[in-house]
Amino acid sequence: MKNTIMAAALSAVVLSSMPALAQPASGAQANLEPPNVQEFDKRMAQAQENMKKMQEQMDKINQTQDPEARQKLLQEHWATMQNNMQLMHGMWGPGGGMGCCMGGPGMGPGMTMGPMMGWGHMGGYYSTLTPEQQRQRQYMMDQYMPMQQMMMDHMMRHQQYMWMR
């Protein structure tokens, strides 16, 4: 059961970073907003603080020999990780194309899940961005993807410790 939950959570993290999943529903026009770098930076700073806390928790998990203490630390780590995932889902703002998967927050109005078939549905969005907005979007991606990788690493390490019980 826990492995299924972990796999689902891991999949959600991976899918949340893939803007190609959101497609306008049956001809509906995607209502995506230009990037808001200031809000993104604010959330990124919060996420980095959470990552620091997660690393400290993982260091404590590595050092403990007591199975009960390790279990408590793992629960704390999981809670921090969940908090960070929620924070990361909201980084792109409403309709930003990078929010929660499955049609949740961050998806533009009229948007649904679709096959991972490329960027065809995003062409209209990117063509409306100014060169400066495109640079901002790239900056945001450049900051977000390493954070996403760190989250994946923590999930994998967490799962390894869960198996050690």
Side-chain angles (χ1 to χ4, degrees):
M1 176 72 171
K2 285 187 180 181
N3 291 335
T4 304
I5 293 169
M6 182 63 72
L10 190 58
S11 296
V13 170
V14 171
L15 293 176
S16 71
S17 70
M18 302 174 90
L21 293 175
Q23 293 187 348
S26 57
Q29 186 71 325
N31 185 18
L32 302 175
E33 298 175 11
N36 181 339
V37 176
Q38 292 78 21
E39 183 62 29
F40 177 86
D41 284 344
K42 179 181 166 187
R43 288 179 179 263
M44 179 58 76
Q46 292 171 326
Q48 288 170 337
E49 282 300 313
N50 279 353
M51 289 302 294
K52 182 179 176 184
K53 182 178 179 181
M54 286 169 54
Q55 187 58 52
E56 291 168 358
Q57 291 169 328
M58 192 55 69
D59 291 344
K60 288 179 185 176
I61 292 167
N62 285 332
Q63 294 170 2
T64 187
Q65 299 298 318
D66 178 17
E68 288 181 22
R70 180 179 289 127
Q71 188 60 30
K72 183 178 185 226
L73 289 167
L74 282 167
Q75 288 171 351
E76 292 171 7
H77 181 260
W78 182 256
T80 306
M81 203 165 32
Q82 291 291 314
N83 183 24
N84 214 36
M85 281 191 281
Q86 287 179 332
L87 181 64
M88 289 175 72
H89 284 313
M91 276 186 178
W92 297 90
M98 292 291 281
C100 184
C101 55
M102 303 296 198
M107 301 282 282
M111 298 188 80
T112 60
M113 290 293 292
M116 296 180 358
M117 299 302 285
W119 291 80
H121 68 283
M122 295 296 285
Y125 168 70
Y126 282 102
S127 67
T128 64
L129 295 179
T130 66
E132 177 59 24
Q133 289 171 332
Q134 289 175 7
R135 282 189 290 279
Q136 291 170 343
R137 195 68 160 166
Q138 185 63 49
Y139 161 79
M140 292 163 70
M141 282 295 293
D142 290 347
Q143 300 298 309
Y144 185 83
M145 294 310 289
M147 179 73 66
Q148 188 74 17
Q149 182 62 49
M150 285 188 276
M151 285 295 294
M152 298 286 287
D153 292 344
H154 272 273
M155 291 189 104
M156 296 303 292
R157 289 173 61 198
H158 185 97
Q159 187 175 17
Q160 288 173 341
Y161 277 105
M162 292 299 291
W163 282 77
M164 290 176 64
R165 284 200 245 172

